[in-house]
């Protein structure tokens, strides 16, 4: 329930603060709903981080920080609303184009995003780098006071102290639906700004989604890996803030100050022409290409098999050496199957026999 | 056999490419966008501020190029499928799947703490308000993340642990072994005024730490808590 409330509250605030996006882009083509939410969401988080960090320099309490944060948000929304009304900008954006049949393909990335959000709550990374800094949020939660530290962790500490939810629970159960969705919205805003068609946007967005899923680069890069450390400052900057800045830059670079759009089409240059008329698919050239491809595949498979055999051999040799380094005990049985004694093989290869008569059985 | 070959080829490719190929992919994508962009549209170059976004935009640029080819539909489909397969291979080779077994594991609880550690920490906090704790390597950060009352001997927030003292380094190294010398651990833990020791059941010391001046005060499913025996 807390998660749903936090999610709804955050995106309502993001939408309202996003009026600033319409104001900033008024003379540059206006802001889409997607960019408005992306801009507003990043602005809310940035405001929270800044207020928390400044308050931490003065050792403020959580309550004081919350009051300042709330005041800033209210001021942002009211100021934006007043400016928007004066300039004739709609506060509630007009709905976009009607959905088309092909838009059903967007269910795939939507499902992927939802699954990603669910899975990050279920999977944990056993790496110190994924948890570094959370202690600062916990300190805020425990003491209800802010000390200088990472702005994002301080902000999370303030929210967790306000909501009465432990920072670890807040981070791994509630923030995924807020932060991860926001970052993907930022990517969508950038992609729709650059691509021509909805299908091209879909392909670009799916590529981004897959790159985030296969996003683990190294231990050192965890702080920038979206699906590992979505609650970190590094991820916010790389996956959220920079995307928003990129969209603003693109618009400013494209549009003249008077509002006249310079560019009509994104891809305007001549494309290559490949005239297949009169050419058959099965011809000498294509057969030669196919032969070369098969040859390369064969060489590669030989290489792969060879390396696999070598690895198995090395493992077997090491296994034998390992066995030879240990002492071993073997049973010595008669033909009838009864135990006559034990043979102990020492590490130097010598063997010793212990007769069963010399031993006492214990049960 | 073929499946095995393909799997082995893919593994070898992953090992050859290595993780961390994202930046290489980004550089190639920048080149694609710069070459393919309209000479009038300088604004799109700003998109390279986003590393992952740039690669996605380059993928859509490849699609738009294929669509604009003046060729038979079947040829376009073949080229598109081949390009998509290549992109998929490149993406899955550029990094590790964050949900795979080699990179992550199922979270034991909502807080993503190691199994059994939470109850061990609760037991410790019940016994002492501000416990000085020696724990397994890598667990100091969990202690600090769970409660600011803990004072772990080593806190892995300093990556590389270069600030560790001699005693802390010795116990850190010892507890990283499967068969740690608990006499050494107990000796250096007392030198650091560690009243509490939280240990995992994943180690098998020859002699338990209870033989060296510590008593067990809590035994959980995967962790145990030991407290220094105070002499009256």
């Amino acid at each position: 329930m807390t998660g749903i409330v936090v999610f709804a509250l955050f995106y309502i605030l993001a939408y309202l603060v996003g009026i600033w996006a319409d104001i900033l882009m008024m003379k540059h083509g206006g802001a889409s709903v997607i960019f408005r939410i992306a801009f507003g969401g990043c602005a809310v988080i940035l405001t929270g981080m800044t207020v928390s960090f400044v308050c931490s320099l003065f050792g403020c309490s959580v309550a004081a920080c919350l009051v300042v944060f709330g005041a800033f948000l209210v001021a942002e929304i009211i100021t934006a609303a007043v400016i928007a009304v004066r300039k004739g900008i709609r506060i509630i954006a007009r709905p976009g184009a009607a959905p088309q049949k092909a838009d059903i393909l967007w269910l795939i990335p939507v499902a992927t995003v939802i699954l990603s959000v669910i899975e990050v709550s279920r999977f944990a990374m056993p790496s110190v780098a994924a948890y570094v800094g959370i202690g600062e949020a916990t300190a805020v939660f425990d003491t209800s006071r802010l000390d200088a530290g990472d702005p994002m962790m301080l902000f999370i500490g303030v929210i967790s102290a306000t909501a009465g939810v432990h920072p670890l629970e807040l981070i791994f159960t509630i923030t995924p639906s807020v932060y991860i969705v926001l970052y993907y919205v930022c990517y969508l805003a950038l992609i729709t700004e650059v691509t021509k068609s909805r299908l091209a946007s879909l392909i670009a967005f799916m590529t981004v989604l897959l790159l985030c899923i296969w996003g683990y680069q190294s231990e050192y890069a965890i702080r920038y890996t979206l699906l590992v450390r979505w609650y970190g400052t590094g991820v916010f900057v790389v996956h959220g803030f920079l995307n928003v800045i990129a969209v603003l830059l693109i618009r400013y670079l494209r549009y003249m100050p008077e509002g006249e759009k310079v560019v009509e089409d994104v891809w305007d240059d001549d494309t290559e022409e490949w005239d297949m008329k009169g050419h058959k698919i099965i011809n000498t050239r294509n057969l030669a290409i196919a032969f070369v491809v098969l040859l390369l595949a064969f060489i590669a498979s030989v290489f792969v098999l060879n390396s696999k055999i070598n690895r198995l051999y090395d493992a077997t040799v090491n296994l034998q050496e390992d066995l030879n380094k240990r002492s071993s005990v073997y049973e010595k049985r008669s033909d009838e199957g009864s135990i006559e004694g034990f043979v102990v093989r020492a590490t130097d290869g010598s063997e010793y026999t212990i007769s069963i008569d010399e031993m006492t059985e214990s049960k | 056999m073929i499946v095995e070959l393909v799997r082995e080829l893919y593994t070898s490719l992953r090992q050859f490419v290595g993780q961390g190929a994202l930046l290489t992919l980004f550089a190639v994508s920048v080149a694609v966008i710069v070459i393919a962009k309209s000479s009038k549209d300088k604004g799109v170059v700003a998109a390279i501020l986003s590393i992952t976004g740039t690669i996605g935009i380059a993928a859509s640029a490849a699609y738009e190029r294929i669509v604009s080819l003046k060729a038979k539909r079947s040829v376009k489909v073949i080229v598109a499928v081949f390009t998509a397969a290549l992109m998929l291979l490149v993406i899955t080779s550029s990094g590790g799947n964050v949900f795979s077994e080699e990179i992550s594991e199922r979270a034991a609880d909502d807080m993503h703490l190691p199994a059994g550690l939470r109850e061990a920490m609760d037991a410790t906090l019940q016994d002492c308000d501000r416990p000085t704790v020696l724990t397994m390597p890598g667990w100091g950060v969990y202690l600090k993340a769970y409660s600011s009352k803990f004072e772990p001997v080593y806190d892995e927030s300093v990556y590389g642990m270069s600030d560790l003292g001699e005693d802390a380094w010795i116990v850190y190294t010892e507890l990283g072994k499967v068969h740690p010398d608990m006499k050494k651990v107990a000796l250096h833990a007392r030198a650091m005024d560690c009243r509490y020791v939280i240990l995992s059941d994943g180690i098998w010391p020859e002699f338990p730490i209870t033989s060296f001046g510590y008593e067990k005060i809590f035994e959980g499913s995967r962790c145990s808590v030991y407290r220094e025996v105070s002499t009256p």
Side-chain angles (χ1 to χ4, degrees):
Chain A
M1 190 65 194
T2 310
I4 295 171
V5 170
V6 170
F7 181 86
L9 191 63
F10 177 80
Y11 281 97
I12 290 171
L13 284 173
Y15 187 78
L16 293 173
V17 173
I19 299 172
W20 280 105
D22 286 287
I23 296 169
L24 289 172
M25 293 172 115
M26 191 177 63
K27 293 181 179 178
H28 303 277
S32 62
V33 173
I34 294 171
F35 182 66
R36 187 169 165 177
I37 293 173
F39 182 94
C42 289
V44 169
I45 292 176
L46 197 58
T47 305
M49 287 167 61
T50 309
V51 167
S52 300
F53 183 71
V54 171
C55 287
S56 72
L57 296 177
F58 296 98
C60 293
S61 66
V62 166
C65 178
L66 202 62
V67 166
V68 174
F69 175 53
F72 263 98
L73 273 186
V74 169
E76 280 175 14
I77 294 169
I78 291 175
T79 311
V82 167
I83 297 174
V85 166
R86 285 186 180 176
K87 292 185 181 292
I89 298 171
R90 293 175 67 90
I91 293 179
I92 307 295
R94 193 180 286 116
Q100 302 165 1
K101 275 186 184 176
D103 288 344
I104 199 166
L105 291 173
W106 280 93
L107 287 176
I108 300 171
V110 167
T112 308
V113 169
I114 292 171
L115 276 172
S116 297
V117 168
I118 293 170
E119 288 300 295
V120 295
S121 300
R122 294 171 59 200
F123 280 87
M125 172 148 306
S127 166
V128 169
Y131 296 86
V132 165
I134 298 180
E136 292 174 10
T138 306
V140 174
F141 176 76
D142 286 340
T143 61
S144 297
R145 299 209 72 84
L146 284 82
D147 284 322
D150 182 87
M152 184 65 84
M153 288 300 130
L154 291 173
F155 179 52
I156 287 175
V158 168
I159 299 300
S160 67
T162 306
V165 177
H166 193 281
L168 284 171
E169 282 182 7
L170 183 80
I171 284 170
F172 294 115
T173 60
I174 296 174
T175 60
S177 60
V178 172
Y179 281 83
I180 295 176
V181 170
L182 174 67
Y183 297 142
Y184 283 139
V185 169
C186 292
Y187 274 115
L188 195 58
L190 173 64
I191 285 166
T192 51
E193 195 61 39
V194 176
T195 52
K196 267 168 81 174
S197 64
R198 288 192 182 192
L199 194 52
S201 300
L202 178 64
I203 290 168
F205 191 57
M206 278 306 302
T207 305
V208 167
L209 285 178
L210 292 177
L211 283 169
C212 289
I213 292 172
W214 271 271
Y216 177 80
Q217 299 297 306
S218 71
E219 187 86 1
Y220 296 98
I222 278 181
R223 69 183 72 180
Y224 306 112
T225 308
L226 193 156
L227 292 180
V228 173
R229 202 166 157 87
W230 62 91
Y231 46 89
T233 307
V235 169
F236 170 72
V237 171
V238 169
H239 297 276
F241 184 74
L242 284 180
N243 285 335
V244 168
I245 296 297
V247 173
L248 287 172
L249 272 176
I250 289 170
R251 284 296 186 95
Y252 276 101
L253 289 172
R254 273 184 184 168
Y255 283 80
M256 297 293 289
E258 295 81 18
E260 182 186 337
K261 190 175 177 184
V262 174
V263 178
E264 287 297 328
D265 299 309
V266 176
W267 312 113
D268 198 25
D269 48 345
D270 291 334
T271 57
E272 293 176 9
E273 286 193 10
W274 183 22
D275 187 5
M276 283 295 294
K277 290 181 184 176
H279 293 268
K280 294 179 182 176
I281 296 296
I282 300 177
N283 55 42
T284 311
R285 184 193 66 182
N286 291 347
L287 280 174
I289 292 171
F291 175 74
V292 169
V293 168
L294 277 172
L295 186 65
L296 284 173
F298 178 74
I299 293 170
S301 60
V302 167
F303 168 76
V304 164
L305 274 173
N306 193 40
S307 60
K308 197 168 186 177
I309 290 168
N310 288 340
R311 280 205 303 271
L312 277 171
Y313 171 76
D314 288 338
T316 310
V317 166
N318 288 336
L319 189 64
Q320 186 60 44
E321 284 177 4
D322 195 47
L323 282 173
N324 290 342
K325 285 178 190 171
R326 298 168 186 264
S327 58
S328 308
V329 178
Y330 305 94
E331 291 176 355
K332 187 178 177 185
R333 289 183 178 265
S334 63
D335 292 334
E336 288 78 29
S338 60
I339 296 177
E340 291 181 343
F342 294 90
V343 178
V344 179
R345 185 179 178 283
T347 52
D348 60 355
S350 54
E351 293 180 356
Y352 302 87
T353 305
I354 305 172
S355 167
I356 194 73
D357 296 330
E358 297 170 10
M359 302 174 70
T360 307
E361 182 184 14
S362 61
K363 291 185 180 177
Chain B
M1 177 70 176
I2 293 174
V3 171
E4 192 67 30
L5 272 172
V6 170
R7 191 178 295 140
E8 190 63 29
L9 271 170
Y10 179 65
T11 306
S12 299
L13 173 70
R14 288 281 306 274
Q15 287 171 353
F16 177 72
V17 172
Q19 288 173 350
L22 188 72
L23 289 180
T24 309
L25 208 55
F26 167 70
V28 170
S29 300
V30 168
V32 167
I33 288 176
V34 168
I35 291 168
K37 72 169 183 66
S38 166
S39 58
K40 294 179 188 175
D41 186 10
K42 294 181 176 57
V44 75
V45 181
I48 64 175
L49 277 176
S50 170
I51 295 176
T52 318
T54 300
I55 300 169
I57 291 166
S60 69
Y63 160 75
E64 285 169 345
R65 278 293 191 172
I66 292 166
V67 164
S68 64
L69 284 175
K70 291 187 180 180
K72 284 183 186 176
R73 184 182 164 80
S74 56
V75 171
K76 285 190 195 179
V77 167
I78 291 169
V79 173
V81 167
F82 176 78
T83 308
L86 191 65
M87 280 296 302
L88 207 60
L89 182 67
V90 165
I91 289 169
T92 56
S93 304
S94 66
N97 187 332
V98 296
F99 302 122
S100 63
E101 284 179 2
E102 42 191 38
I103 289 172
S104 61
E105 57 191 18
R106 286 282 182 190
D109 56 21
D110 285 347
M111 291 188 175
H112 287 203
L113 295 169
L117 182 59
R118 185 174 177 178
E119 52 195 8
M121 288 192 287
D122 286 336
T124 310
L125 287 173
Q126 276 176 7
D127 200 68
C128 179
D129 273 342
R130 297 200 68 86
T132 309
V133 182
L134 171 66
T135 186
M136 304 298 297
W139 283 12
V141 71
Y142 297 129
L143 264 61
K144 294 297 286 185
Y146 185 69
S147 175
S148 58
K149 294 177 185 174
F150 282 111
E151 293 176 6
V153 165
Y154 32 74
D155 181 359
E156 286 86 342
S157 60
V158 178
Y159 194 84
M161 309 282 287
S162 58
D163 289 349
L164 281 185
E166 186 182 345
D167 288 315
W169 184 251
I170 289 171
V171 295
Y172 184 85
T173 311
E174 204 61 41
L175 287 175
K177 302 174 184 175
V178 177
H179 305 292
D181 182 352
M182 280 308 182
K183 185 178 179 185
K184 203 185 277 186
V185 170
L187 180 69
H188 289 279
R190 268 198 294 275
M192 291 184 289
D193 293 326
C194 278
R195 190 164 155 70
Y196 295 89
V197 179
I198 298 178
L199 297 176
S200 158
D201 63 352
I203 56 173
W204 297 288
E206 191 176 358
F207 298 101
I209 200 170
T210 48
S211 304
F212 305 107
Y214 281 85
E215 57 180 349
K216 184 181 284 190
I217 62 170
F218 174 82
E219 184 170 5
S221 55
R222 302 287 289 271
C223 302
S224 297
V225 182
Y226 302 87
R227 181 180 59 198
E228 186 180 10
V229 176
S230 10
T231 50

